[in-house]
Amino acid sequence: MAEQKITTTGIAAHGSSRLPSVDVDSFNIELKDEDGFLGDRASKGAFRDILEKWRKPLRKSGEDPFGKEHSENISKKALDAILIGDDTEASAVVHSAVEDFAQELAHVTRRILNTKAWDKTERIVVGGGFRDSRLGELAIARTEIILKAEDFKIEMQPIRHNPDEAGLIGALHLAPSWIFEAHDSILAVDIGGTNVRCGVVETRRKKSPDLSKACIWKPEFWRHADDEPCRESAVKRLVRMLEGLISKAEKEGFKLAPFIGIACPGVIESDGSIQKGAQNLPGNWESSKFNLPTSLVEAIPRIGDHDTAIVMHNDGVVQGLSEAPLMQDVKRWGVLTIGTGLGNARFTNRNGKAEK
């Protein structure tokens, strides 16, 4: 019965390669080298390891400008301040780490661009938590310069929205355009290995029909890593968050669509199950006996007067989709998300102006 619900109330297949405005040519590529997964060389943790490497020789001589604080515990905000601060030695250490990280990111990007799925990619937007900092922006800019020096015809730019918002706003592009004719907002969920974010996403189609002016109203945030819940408890908490948002949206007078877009780590199957890549989520989300969209439809069968429809896709794909309105001048583009690992997705516009 649960399978029938998800089939009849869904709009598009979960993890679909064909979405309303783009074809998803590839996502979650896992390239390897002799040291393991290639993406691990360009993750948040990799940057901290590089920073630690540059501090070691200074620490031996007792001249480490960061003192005894471990590199993992220095905030991005503090590192950004050091980049432009008066302590030239500390600034030089951070700049050195940024340069080395950019070299690693360029190496990984080069390998990805050389795959068949990423052939003829014209632009890459970079998201994830690392992007949300000055040092992240510098690393992205430096990576583009390195690749262009090697004759790669590629643009690289930071994702426009705050990465926390991009993972919700991108959910709009999982829904078919007709659903917005009678509604001005949807529910969106972004599930990560540390946090769960939910929000009401306003389409603002009257201001911009291409959804480029979309924004988040009443976001909800839960750092589940602190609570270490079991899978069932995590789903129940998510349901309560969504029910609360539905109630608030109705009181505010929003015309909430009967649609929930979900961003989730891993390889998402068409039935809503997760094949792999969800190891950081609370409990076993890859179990054949668990299906998040089915669980949510059973808990929230209707929104307003209509049956609830749900589409779930990989979190890197959804974060990239937030940039879709700004990618209409190119045909083929991709997204890299720098976080615990390196997420990736490649898109081809179907309705864009560019035909190359």
Side-chain angles (χ1 to χ4, degrees):
M1 188 66 181
E3 287 186 4
Q4 184 180 2
K5 277 187 180 180
I6 214 65
T7 301
T8 56
T9 61
I11 292 179
H14 305 290
S16 177
S17 61
R18 189 171 182 82
L19 295 173
S21 61
V22 299
D23 288 327
V24 183
D25 305 308
S26 167
F27 72 89
N28 215 39
I29 285 180
E30 293 182 336
L31 300 176
K32 292 184 178 181
D33 61 11
E34 62 277 5
D35 296 320
F37 288 111
L38 204 62
D40 292 340
R41 295 174 58 168
S43 64
K44 288 192 297 184
F47 175 80
R48 300 293 173 162
D49 290 342
I50 292 170
L51 179 61
E52 190 72 10
K53 179 197 75 173
W54 278 103
R55 292 176 59 196
K56 277 185 180 179
L58 298 177
R59 194 177 294 137
K60 287 179 180 179
S61 62
E63 297 175 353
D64 183 357
F66 298 94
K68 296 182 179 180
E69 190 76 38
H70 195 277
S71 296
E72 289 183 0
N73 300 324
I74 304 173
S75 69
K76 289 181 295 184
K77 186 176 181 180
L79 291 173
D80 283 351
I82 289 167
L83 279 172
I84 58 173
D86 295 329
D87 189 333
T88 55
E89 188 171 47
S91 180
V93 170
V94 178
H95 275 285
S96 298
V98 167
E99 173 62 22
D100 279 7
F101 182 81
Q103 294 288 345
E104 294 290 348
L105 181 57
H107 173 71
V108 176
T109 304
R110 190 184 303 118
R111 285 282 303 274
I112 290 174
L113 288 171
N114 283 330
T115 63
K116 183 177 180 180
W118 280 68
D119 185 39
K120 298 180 181 178
T121 301
E122 300 158 72
R123 184 179 298 154
I124 297 174
V125 292
V126 184
F130 186 72
R131 167 264 175 269
D132 191 27
S133 61
R134 180 60 177 166
L135 59 95
E137 292 176 350
L138 281 174
I140 294 165
R142 179 67 183 126
T143 301
E144 180 185 47
I145 292 170
I146 293 168
L147 292 172
K148 284 186 173 179
E150 299 171 358
D151 291 329
F152 280 88
K153 294 179 174 59
I154 191 74
E155 298 175 32
M156 293 189 73
Q157 61 191 45
I159 206 163
R160 176 180 54 135
H161 295 284
N162 179 291
D164 294 343
E165 295 183 349
L168 298 176
I169 290 174
L172 284 173
H173 300 274
L174 297 175
S177 58
W178 58 259
I179 206 169
F180 304 126
E181 295 299 327
H183 304 94
D184 58 14
S185 54
I186 68 163
L187 290 172
V189 179
D190 185 7
I191 301 168
T194 303
N195 309 307
V196 171
R197 292 180 176 84
C198 301
V200 174
V201 185
E202 295 183 60
T203 65
R204 294 191 173 183
R205 288 182 76 236
K206 291 182 179 179
K207 292 186 176 181
S208 185
D210 65 357
L211 304 177
S212 61
K213 301 293 185 182
C215 67
I216 310 297
W217 181 82
K218 294 292 183 185
E220 296 279 345
F221 172 85
W222 172 39
R223 186 179 168 85
H224 65 75
D226 293 339
D227 299 339
E228 299 183 355
C230 66
R231 186 183 67 203
E232 287 69 24
S233 295
V235 173
K236 287 179 180 178
R237 176 70 177 267
L238 174 56
V239 168
R240 290 198 300 271
M241 293 169 74
L242 290 171
E243 289 176 336
L245 286 170
I246 292 170
S247 178
K248 291 175 183 177
E250 288 175 348
K251 289 179 181 177
E252 190 68 19
F254 280 105
K255 297 176 182 177
L256 192 62
F259 179 87
I260 304 173
I262 303 174
C264 186
V267 177
I268 313 301
E269 297 290 343
S270 61
D271 65 352
S273 61
I274 304 173
Q275 183 189 102
K276 61 178 180 178
Q279 62 272 10
N280 293 324
L281 302 183
N284 181 13
W285 289 51
E286 299 172 16
S287 168
S288 60
K289 298 179 180 179
F290 176 68
N291 187 294
L292 179 62
T294 299
S295 298
L296 293 182
V297 165
E298 290 174 345
I300 308 174
R302 295 175 71 83
I303 298 176
D305 298 326
H306 302 281
D307 293 340
T308 302
I310 296 176
V311 176
M312 184 166 79
H313 218 306
N314 172 264
D315 54 351
V317 169
V318 178
Q319 193 170 143
L321 288 172
S322 69
E323 291 287 295
L326 303 179
M327 296 294 120
Q328 298 308 301
D329 59 327
V330 295
K331 184 70 175 175
R332 303 169 188 88
W333 56 283
V335 62
L336 299 176
T337 57
I338 304 173
T340 306
L342 185 71
N344 58 81
R346 215 299 282 268
F347 307 97
T348 297
N349 290 333
R350 293 207 316 275
N351 305 316
K353 296 177 182 178
E355 295 291 339
K356 297 182 181 181

